[in-house]
């Protein structure tokens, strides 16, 4: 078997595919050392397993908007959820109804909920299709091992803040999709000009970190509610929120539990799912989130139980009949190209700006951290190989995702699982895309995953995102207060935009006041610990503020001058060398008999190899590379941490 795999690896490497993806042994002038076709396939599947949960979770969240479905709620008609025309609250003839009354009525409207079921099936196909297209495109055109799909966090903001549950927000689902579409076009321009990296650098570091933490708390809050979670938290008229976990017969009109708290079997199934995910991740089981979701879902598929997702009613029968098809290709019916370009409202532009900001931090930060994790970063330029086509691909996929009916497409930190498995080329991403394509034909399975099965995934992902809170500088008030307001306001206001605005305004007011006082006093009145403040960012476009040209243009100028257009780390002056064909012996060449020379090579690799690879160095090199003795060493290289830490990149 090993001989057959070796022959396949050699044949692919020597083909046009091997040259395109720069596999080791190909005719490409700069092959990536240690890359094998079989390893890339395994890495791509690992990335898919860790990302597959997004198919059901994203469709469940976005479908809470109601999509293009219309509920016949009328605040003045008692037969349609309203009250008598003369009834008012607070005078002025305003009906004593609100978003809560609309949601309560629409959730029991059979025609409306049936339409939402179709929307959810549409979104399952849309999510899988966009993950397939985006992952394949970024693999083909940027040659990076990154998985892409509609992103977590931004989908919750899209649903519960911009559109609102069942369309109870200030702009409609169709208009929100138009905002996403325009955002993608703006991203395309910013990517070509190299401004995405610059904009990300302009935001204070502590607010960037706090944004990830706040989104993590936001996801956890959603996962604990009933609409897209386990129902652990319910509304409370006195304290806004309170302990839930009760059965539907104990709910009042506002959704608060009157009795029977923590007695709902579905809530306890969600708690069990969270426990399973936690234990599996603790033991580093690949695909832990997906396993936890499927465990709870399978139990919920049995009819006649207290946790079934297929009750004996018209909605349950419809779900079960579709589920029994198992393999079926669902054609998108309601979410395809339904954008409505009404650009004359302030809420539209606020949503657009927030989409831009959050996605800049999310996608740009994820790509940079994954590139550094994989060893592609050039410390001299602050850029990574394939950055411009990667950002352009992301921008185009954001707009295409809006056409499909879903929120922003972004790079996933779960790509770290594939990188840990040895993925180093775009073949990893292409394999992930193929797996998502296959999942398109199993939409009945994904549509039958209930919210109490996906809620634990939201809570767990949220917990991982909050780990980066330790990177906030709490030693200086000018840094800590803006960061704290950012992360606290996101879940408490149920709005990512308000958290971002609150943090940025606090940073400007506090630090601006300190600056004015210092200038007026001639430098005599300064905070005693001002030296602990994070340094102010540079507003120049270069990685250290030394230039204004976008990275792709810098590479083009190098090429015109006859210089190396990529300038990897091993070529930069004073740069730390990384694994390449220049730092490792060729596979066909015997290892050097000189002990000191071999030791130098090992030491060189040890400085740049991630800890995860140090535990299993065969992920990067074969024993013929002459560095197999690395398995006994622990590496100490420190990596930039993204919203999900490096400790968990290979576990999800």
């Amino acid at each position: 078997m090993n001989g057959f795999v070796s022959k396949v690896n050699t044949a692919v490497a020597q083909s046009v595919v091997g040259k395109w993806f720069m596999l080791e042994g190909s005719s490409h002038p700069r092959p990536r050392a240690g890359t094998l076709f079989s390893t890339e396939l395994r890495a791509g599947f690992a990335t898919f397993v860790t990302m597959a949960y997004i198919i059901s979770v994203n469709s469940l969240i976005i479908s809470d908007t109601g999509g293009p479905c219309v509920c016949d709620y009328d605040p003045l008609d008692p037969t349609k959820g309203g009250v008598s025309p003369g009834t008012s609250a607070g005078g002025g003839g305003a009906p004593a109804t609100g978003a809560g009354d609309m949601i309560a009525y629409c959730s029991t409207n059979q025609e409306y909920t049936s339409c939402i079921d179709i929307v959810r099936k549409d979104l399952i196909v849309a999510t899988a299709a966009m993950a397939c297209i985006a992952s394949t495109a970024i693999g083909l055109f940027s040659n990076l091992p990154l998985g892409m799909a509609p992103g977590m966090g931004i989908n919750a903001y899209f649903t519960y803040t911009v559109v609102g549950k069942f369309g109870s927000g200030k702009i409609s689902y169709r208009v929100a999709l138009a905002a996403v579409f325009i955002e993608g076009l703006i991203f395309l321009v910013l990517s070509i000009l190299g401004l995405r990296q610059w904009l990300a650098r302009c935001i204070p570091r502590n607010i960037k970190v706090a944004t990830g933490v706040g989104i993590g708390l936001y996801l956890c809050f959603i996962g604990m509610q009933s609409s897209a979670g386990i129902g652990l938290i319910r509304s409370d008229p006195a304290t806004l929120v309170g302990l839930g976990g009760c059965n539907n017969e104990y709910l009042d009109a506002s959704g608060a539990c009157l009795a029977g708290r923590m007695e709902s079997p579905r809530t306890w199934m969600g708690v069990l799912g969270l426990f399973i995910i936690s234990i599996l991740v603790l033991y580093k089981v690949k695909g832990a989130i997906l396993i936890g979701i499927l465990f709870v879902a399978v139990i919920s598929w049995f009819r006649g139980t207290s946790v079934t997702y297929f009750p004996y009613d018209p909605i349950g029968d419809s779900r079960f009949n579709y589920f029994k098809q198992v393999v079926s290709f669902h054609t998108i019916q309601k979410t395809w190209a339904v954008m409505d370009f009404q650009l004359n409202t302030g809420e539209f532009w606020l949503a657009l700006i927030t989409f831009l900001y959050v996605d800049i931090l999310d996608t740009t930060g994820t790509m940079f951290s994954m590139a550094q994790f994989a060893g592609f970063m050039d410390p001299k330029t602050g850029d990574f190989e394939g950055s411009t086509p990667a950002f352009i691909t992301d921008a185009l996929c954001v707009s295409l995702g809006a056409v499909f009916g879903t929120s922003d497409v972004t790079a996933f930190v779960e790509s770290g699982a594939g990188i840990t498995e040895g993925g180093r080329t775009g073949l990893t991403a292409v394999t992930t895309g193929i797996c998502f394509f296959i999942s398109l034909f199993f939409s009945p399975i994904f549509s039958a995953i209930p919210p109490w099965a996906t809620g634990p995934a939201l809570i767990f992902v949220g917990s991982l995102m909050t780990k980066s809170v330790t990177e906030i500088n709490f030693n200086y008030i000018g840094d800590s207060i803006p960061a704290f307001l950012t992360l606290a306001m996101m879940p408490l206001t149920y709005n990512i935009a308000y958290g971002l605005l609150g943090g940025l305004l606090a940073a400007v007011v506090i630090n601006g006041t300190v600056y004015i006082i210092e200038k007026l006093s001639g430098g005599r009145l300064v905070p005693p610990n001002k030296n602990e403040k994070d340094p102010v960012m540079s507003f120049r476009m270069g990685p250290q503020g030394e230039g204004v040209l976008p990275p792709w243009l810098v590479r083009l100028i190098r090429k015109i001058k006859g210089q190396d257009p990529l300038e990897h780390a091993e070529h930069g002056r004073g740069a730390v060398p990384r694994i390449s064909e220049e730092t490792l012996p060729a596979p066909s060449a015997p290892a050097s008999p000189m002990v000191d020379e071999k030791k130098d090579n090992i030491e060189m690799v040890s400085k740049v190899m991630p800890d995860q690879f140090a535990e299993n160095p065969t992920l990067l090199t074969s024993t013929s590379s002459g560095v197999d003795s690395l398995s006994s060493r622990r590496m100490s290289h420190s990596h930039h941490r993204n919203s999900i830490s490096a400790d968990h990149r290979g576990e999800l």
Side-chain angles (χ1 to χ4, degrees):
M1 183 65 181
N2 290 335
F4 173 76
V5 173
S6 179
K7 291 180 180 179
V8 172
N9 287 334
T10 302
V12 174
Q14 294 175 353
S15 67
V16 65
V17 174
K19 183 177 181 180
W20 180 268
F21 291 105
M22 303 167 63
L23 295 178
E24 185 175 59
S26 69
S27 58
H28 195 280
R30 300 180 59 84
R32 294 180 180 173
T35 53
L36 299 173
F37 177 68
S38 58
T39 302
E40 299 298 315
L41 295 183
R42 184 177 70 247
F45 182 73
T47 299
F48 168 76
V49 169
T50 59
M51 285 179 58
Y53 72 90
I54 193 61
I55 299 177
S56 57
V57 175
N58 185 66
S59 61
L60 187 68
I61 290 176
I62 301 294
S63 63
D64 259 359
T65 62
C69 300
V70 178
C71 178
D72 64 350
Y73 169 78
D74 186 346
L76 300 178
D77 188 346
T79 64
K80 296 182 179 181
V83 296
S84 300
T87 306
S88 63
T97 58
D101 300 293
M102 173 188 173
I103 293 171
Y105 172 77
C106 294
S107 62
T108 59
N109 186 303
Q110 183 175 337
E111 182 179 354
Y112 184 69
T113 53
S114 297
C115 178
I116 290 178
D117 273 347
I118 298 175
V119 169
R120 188 184 177 195
K121 294 171 184 176
D122 288 353
L123 290 168
I124 288 173
V125 174
T127 303
M130 282 312 307
C132 168
I133 294 170
S135 298
T136 302
I138 200 169
L140 286 174
F141 300 116
S142 67
N143 201 23
L144 292 173
L146 300 179
M148 298 186 69
M152 292 293 295
I154 194 68
N155 57 1
Y157 172 73
F158 177 95
T159 298
Y160 301 110
T161 299
V162 177
V163 181
K165 185 174 176 65
F166 295 162
S168 58
K170 295 184 178 180
I171 65 176
S172 69
Y173 169 77
R174 297 173 184 265
V175 176
L177 288 179
V180 174
F181 183 84
I182 294 175
E183 175 209 354
L185 300 181
I186 295 175
F187 266 160
L188 180 62
V189 176
L190 295 179
S191 300
I192 294 174
L193 297 178
L195 292 175
R196 284 185 67 169
Q197 302 92 315
W198 177 78
L199 288 173
R201 285 178 51 246
C202 287
I203 306 300
R205 185 192 66 86
N206 290 282
I207 293 182
K208 292 179 187 177
V209 176
T211 298
V213 177
I215 292 176
L217 295 174
Y218 189 40
L219 290 179
C220 177
F221 191 38
I222 294 171
M224 289 185 176
Q225 297 179 59
S226 59
S227 60
I230 64 178
L232 183 64
I233 292 177
R234 286 281 185 177
S235 63
D236 189 286
T239 61
L240 298 182
V241 294
L243 185 65
C246 60
N247 290 315
N248 292 337
E249 59 264 28
Y250 296 117
L251 296 175
D252 64 9
S254 65
C257 287
L258 300 177
R261 288 180 173 85
M262 295 307 297
E263 293 181 3
S264 170
R266 293 175 175 177
T267 296
W268 283 109
M269 281 300 300
V271 173
L272 177 61
L274 179 61
F275 172 77
I276 292 172
I277 292 173
S278 302
I279 294 300
L280 293 178
V281 170
L282 191 64
Y283 285 92
K284 301 184 183 298
V285 176
K286 296 290 191 299
I289 292 180
L290 184 62
I291 294 173
I293 291 175
L294 290 178
F295 177 85
V296 176
V298 170
I299 294 178
S300 303
W301 289 342
F302 292 96
R303 307 194 78 176
T305 67
S306 58
V307 297
T308 183
Y309 192 55
F310 307 123
Y312 290 103
D313 58 30
I315 295 178
D317 292 339
S318 174
R319 290 173 180 169
F320 188 67
N321 290 333
Y322 183 65
F323 169 72
K324 289 189 297 183
Q325 298 179 31
V326 182
V327 179
S328 174
F329 183 81
H330 174 79
T331 304
I332 295 179
Q333 302 176 26
K334 294 183 177 295
T335 64
W336 175 261
V338 295
M339 294 92 70
D340 184 2
F341 293 90
Q342 294 184 10
L343 315 182
N344 56 349
T345 63
E347 289 79 11
F348 172 88
W349 294 105
L350 177 61
L352 175 60
I353 293 172
T354 305
F355 285 148
L356 280 168
Y357 174 76
V358 174
D359 207 26
I360 284 174
L361 292 182
D362 187 4
T363 304
T364 307
T366 300
M367 284 188 180
F368 271 86
S369 61
M370 290 295 102
Q372 182 165 341
F373 187 31
F376 297 147
M377 287 295 295
D378 185 341
K380 183 178 179 181
T381 64
D383 196 16
F384 60 90
E385 180 181 350
S387 63
T388 299
F391 288 135
I392 291 176
T393 299
D394 170 65
L396 293 174
C397 288
V398 167
S399 293
L400 184 59
V403 176
F404 274 86
T406 187
S407 57
D408 296 44
V409 174
T410 181
F412 268 57
V413 291
E414 284 83 355
S415 304
I419 295 173
T420 301
E421 289 291 335
R424 285 297 178 278
T425 74
L427 267 175
T428 296
V430 171
T431 303
T432 302
I434 293 174
C435 291
F436 274 111
F437 174 76
I438 296 173
S439 70
L440 284 169
F441 299 94
F442 293 90
S443 59
I445 301 296
F446 289 103
S447 67
I449 297 179
W452 54 90
T454 57
L458 296 177
I459 297 172
F460 183 77
V461 172
S463 72
L464 295 184
M465 294 181 71
T466 59
K467 185 174 182 178
S468 59
V469 72
T470 58
E471 298 179 8
I472 296 175
N473 178 25
F474 286 105
N475 295 323
Y476 186 75
I477 294 297
D479 291 334
S480 62
I481 293 298
F484 177 75
L485 289 176
T486 299
L487 67 90
M489 288 179 65
M490 286 183 182
L492 295 181
T493 63
Y494 217 68
N495 192 310
I496 295 176
Y498 293 159
L500 297 175
L501 291 175
L504 289 172
L505 287 175
V508 171
V509 172
I510 294 175
N511 294 302
T513 302
V514 171
Y515 176 81
I516 293 173
I517 293 175
E518 180 179 352
K519 291 300 180 183
L520 292 178
S521 65
R524 290 185 294 273
L525 293 179
V526 296
N529 64 335
K530 184 184 177 183
N531 61 310
E532 295 183 298
K533 174 179 170 56
D534 268 10
V536 179
M537 60 285 182
S538 168
F539 291 94
R540 301 288 299 280
M541 277 188 61
Q544 284 81 39
E546 76 285 357
V548 296
L549 298 179
W552 67 268
L553 186 55
V554 173
R555 288 193 290 267
L556 179 61
I557 293 174
R558 288 177 187 157
K559 187 172 183 179
I560 294 175
K561 291 182 177 180
Q563 301 172 353
D564 181 3
L566 299 178
E567 190 167 349
H568 288 293
E570 63 266 24
H571 298 295
R573 183 176 59 187
V576 179
R578 68 176 178 85
I579 301 169
S580 72
E581 64 276 11
E582 299 175 15
T583 59
L584 293 179
S588 59
S592 171
M594 300 298 294
V595 176
D596 290 341
E597 182 178 344
K598 181 176 179 179
K599 180 179 179 181
D600 289 341
N601 281 336
I602 295 174
E603 290 295 326
M604 179 176 292
V605 176
S606 70
K607 292 179 182 178
V608 295
M609 211 182 234
D611 291 342
Q612 288 87 338
F613 300 144
E615 297 171 356
N616 187 5
T618 56
L619 297 176
L620 292 180
T621 59
S622 64
T623 55
S624 61
S625 66
V627 292
D628 48 277
S629 60
L630 286 174
S631 59
S632 63
R633 303 180 60 89
R634 284 291 296 175
M635 311 308 176
S636 60
H637 182 65
S638 174
H639 290 277
H640 169 74
R641 288 181 293 177
N642 195 28
S643 56
I644 295 182
S645 70
D647 296 336
H648 294 284
R649 285 171 182 159
E651 299 168 10
L652 302 184

